[in-house]
Amino acid sequence: MALAREEINLEDIKRDAKIEAVLKHVISQDVEIAHLKDEQFEMRNEIKRRDETISKLEDDIRLLKKEKRWNMLWHNRLNNCIDKTQVIFGILFLINILFTYFMSR
């Protein structure tokens, strides 16, 4: 009765309380969504950094493969030169022995 005299309606109070509860829930959801968006942004940045790292590593691997091929070619070429040099020294050695033999006679 006291409420009726004061012109306070219980239904209005209930409705206001529900609205306030819904508003608090919406605000907490907005905060959670903002937090998730921040995490998503950080994850995207991390993925970009990893992609860049992978790309750099792939480039390094490609360069190393090229360098390995070049080194193998250079090594083969050096081996061929060494083989030719050894043959030339062998021939010169034989000529020197023959020359020494004929000079001593």
Side-chain angles (χ1 to χ4, degrees):
M1 295 265 184
L3 294 176
R5 273 185 260 144
E6 298 286 329
E7 296 183 4
I8 297 175
N9 188 350
L10 287 177
E11 293 301 319
D12 290 341
I13 294 172
K14 288 180 183 177
R15 188 181 73 238
D16 290 345
K18 286 180 183 177
I19 289 172
E20 188 175 329
V22 169
L23 186 59
K24 285 181 183 178
H25 180 70
V26 168
I27 290 172
S28 69
Q29 292 295 319
D30 285 345
V31 170
E32 183 67 24
I33 289 170
H35 176 70
L36 291 174
K37 283 183 179 180
D38 289 342
E39 284 185 9
Q40 183 182 27
F41 182 74
E42 290 174 10
M43 291 173 111
R44 283 183 183 158
N45 286 340
E46 182 66 27
I47 289 170
K48 285 179 185 177
R49 283 193 296 271
R50 286 183 182 174
D51 288 346
E52 289 171 359
T53 302
I54 289 170
S55 176
K56 288 178 184 177
L57 289 173
E58 287 173 345
D59 291 343
D60 289 347
I61 289 170
R62 262 188 249 109
L63 288 173
L64 287 171
K65 284 181 180 178
K66 285 181 183 178
E67 185 176 328
K68 181 181 176 183
R69 275 189 242 124
W70 173 254
N71 286 339
M72 289 180 72
L73 289 172
W74 183 252
H75 180 73
N76 289 341
R77 192 165 185 190
L78 284 176
N79 283 342
N80 289 340
C81 289
I82 290 171
D83 293 342
K84 289 177 185 176
T85 305
Q86 286 175 341
V87 168
I88 290 172
F89 278 127
I91 292 171
L92 289 175
F93 180 72
L94 287 175
I95 291 173
N96 192 16
I97 289 176
L98 290 174
F99 182 74
T100 305
Y101 174 76
F102 286 120
M103 286 299 287
S104 66
R105 287 187 141 217

